[in-house]
């Protein structure tokens, strides 16, 4: 019974973290949902996240790269430490960039397109 309560509490906490953002920021689910829109806006040249997206893509490629498997097998702990460091940076970068993108989207939605008459 105790194990089930602990597991239920853990899943409830995870659900809350996904639906309610920390410190009043956007929720994790909203941030992850913004990723495809952020990529599209960057590719269209509307959003200036090109370099940051490139760095995040390189980090993902580094972590999933099969070339990195041999050093991990040989040095076990040290081989995994570099991956952990890259994953930690990637998580922070995704959180920061999606928050920046969502703020950009909100500002953009409040602008009425047209021409300035001077």
């Amino acid at each position: 019974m105790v194990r089930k309560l602990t597991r239920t509490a853990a899943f409830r906490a995870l659900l809350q973290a996904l639906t309610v953002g920390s410190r009043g920021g956007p929720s994790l689910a909203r941030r992850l949902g913004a990723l495809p829109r952020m990529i599209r806006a960057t590719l269209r040249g509307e959003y200036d996240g090109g370099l940051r997206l490139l760095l995040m893509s390189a980090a993902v490629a580094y972590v999933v790269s099969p070339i990195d498997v041999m050093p991990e097998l040989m040095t076990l702990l040290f081989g995994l430490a570099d991956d952990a460091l890259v994953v930690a940076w990637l998580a922070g970068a995704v959180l920061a960039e999606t928050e920046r993108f969502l703020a950009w989207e909100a500002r953009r939605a409040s602008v009425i397109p047209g021409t300035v008459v001077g």
Side-chain angles (χ1 to χ4, degrees), residues 12-63:
R12 192 174 301 131
L14 176 63
L15 179 64
Q16 184 178 4
L18 290 173
T19 56
V20 179
S22 65
R23 297 176 287 160
S27 68
L28 183 59
R30 186 163 173 230
R31 289 171 191 256
L32 293 177
L35 276 173
R37 293 192 317 272
M38 182 173 69
I39 293 168
R40 275 193 304 274
T42 300
L43 292 175
R44 288 183 191 145
E46 300 168 353
Y47 181 66
D48 68 343
L51 180 60
R52 288 176 291 278
L53 281 177
L54 182 67
L55 290 172
M56 287 186 263
S57 299
V60 169
Y62 178 79
V63 171

Side-chain angles (χ1 to χ4, degrees), residues 50-96:
L51 180 60
R52 288 176 291 278
L53 281 177
L54 182 67
L55 290 172
M56 287 186 263
S57 299
V60 169
Y62 178 79
V63 171
V64 300
S65 170
I67 295 171
D68 193 38
V69 172
M70 287 308 288
E72 288 173 359
L73 291 176
M74 293 178 174
T75 60
L76 203 56
L77 184 61
F78 295 112
L80 294 176
D82 69 325
D83 284 349
L85 187 65
V86 171
V87 167
W89 175 85
L90 179 61
V94 167
L95 291 175

